Amino acid sequence: MKNIVAGNWKMNLGLAQSIELAQSIANSLTELKNTEVWIAPSSPALASVKQSIVGAKISMGSQNVHWEASGAFTGEDSLGLLRDVGCSFVLVGHSERRHVLHETDEMIAKRTQFALRSGIKTTLCIGETLHDQESGQAQEVIHRQLDTALKSSNKDELANLVVAYEPVWAIGTGKVATVEIVDSIHSFIRQYLDKNASGIEIPILYGGSVSPGNFAEIIAIDNVNGALVGGASLDPQKFLKLIEISENN
Ligand code: PGA
């Protein structure tokens, strides 16, 4: 399976900056053998970003998606519209949605199931808090997050799944999980997926303060199939370096 290097731009860029960043990545991309490049701009920038990188080998996706096809859901985006503007993947359950916007496991499950059922690549973000980690509950939390989101999806639907393990305490903090933690949680996730979706290739990404300085060590770990990158994805040089490290892995 190819690695995925995915940039999550969060709510950081205006329209001109989004287009500029997308184009500078697109213009510097060389032929890639082992790596898929994904970017997730803010919703209002999606259509223009897509138009600005026509022909580039970059997949664009949304940072969230609603669980109904349409309706009275002010402030949410429908999958149909996201597809119309060129999205080929969605993120769901990002820790900022869980912990800042207070989305529950159940809401995230609905988003995940709807997206998987609709046949779009669906990146389910999961991860424990510092308290969970320090009290030895990381695996239990990861299991609960996986199970609530995935238990009602069938194997065909799970073929569209990507899992992103992002320990909450490592996101945007400069603290990277140790190799031991990443190794143990990724193999725990892999075991869960092997049990519930055997025979299906599901990439598992690591996220949390990934940078050119630490990525070579992370991508070399078993069951790490790429990264979901926040801060470093806003700097084209750093993001391109991450792609290069993935290619050389
Ligand atoms: P970070 O964000 O790389 O800035 O830690 C990762 C993420 O939130 O996906």
Side-chain angles (χ1 to χ4, degrees), residues 8-227:
N8 173 12
W9 296 356
K10 308 192 180 185
M11 201 181 74
N12 285 307
L13 304 176
L15 184 58
Q17 291 170 308
S18 300
I19 292 170
E20 196 185 329
L21 177 56
Q23 287 181 332
S24 44
I25 298 164
N27 292 340
S28 303
L29 270 189
T30 48
E31 190 69 31
L32 300 176
K33 293 198 174 67
N34 304 323
T35 311
E36 292 181 25
V37 178
W38 293 14
I39 55 171
S42 294
S43 293
L46 288 168
S48 308
V49 166
K50 185 71 188 179
Q51 280 164 19
S52 75
I53 52 168
V54 172
K57 283 233 160 110
I58 300 177
S59 297
M60 186 188 73
S62 151
Q63 298 173 14
N64 204 2
V65 66
H66 198 258
W67 57 82
E68 295 286 343
S70 63
F73 301 103
T74 302
E76 292 279 327
D77 291 321
S78 74
L79 185 62
L81 176 56
L82 294 173
R83 275 202 163 116
D84 284 347
V85 296
C87 288
S88 56
F89 73 90
V90 294
L91 305 181
V92 284
H94 189 276
S95 87
E96 285 140 24
R97 304 295 320 171
R98 293 177 189 267
H99 298 287
V100 185
L101 284 306
H102 302 294
E103 288 193 11
T104 61
D105 282 350
E106 286 67 33
M107 289 167 81
I108 290 157
K110 288 201 266 182
R111 296 186 195 279
T112 309
Q113 285 157 22
F114 179 76
L116 286 173
R117 206 165 50 238
S118 308
I120 193 159
K121 282 281 170 202
T122 305
T123 303
L124 171 66
C125 306
I126 55 174
E128 81 286 358
T129 62
L130 188 58
H131 174 263
D132 300 329
Q133 174 67 229
E134 287 177 348
S135 57
Q137 291 174 302
Q139 288 197 357
E140 198 180 308
V141 169
I142 297 293
H143 188 271
R144 192 197 69 227
Q145 291 174 340
L146 285 170
D147 223 36
T148 15
L150 302 177
K151 64 176 182 241
S152 334
S153 297
N154 65 35
K155 272 199 177 186
D156 285 347
E157 293 164 357
L158 292 172
N160 294 308
L161 179 67
V162 175
V163 175
Y165 167 58
E166 300 201 297
V168 178
W169 46 273
I171 296 179
T173 57
K175 288 187 197 152
V176 191
T178 61
V179 169
E180 289 71 30
I181 292 176
V182 178
D183 188 25
S184 104
I185 299 284
H186 277 241
S187 61
F188 180 74
I189 297 169
R190 180 59 70 207
Q191 280 166 27
Y192 177 94
L193 296 173
D194 284 347
K195 192 159 149 238
N196 294 284
S198 66
I200 300 175
E201 273 195 347
I202 299 174
I204 309 174
L205 315 184
Y206 169 78
S209 300
V210 169
S211 71
N214 58 37
F215 190 45
E217 193 172 44
I218 293 169
I219 192 71
I221 302 170
D222 273 356
N223 295 309
V224 174
N225 310 115

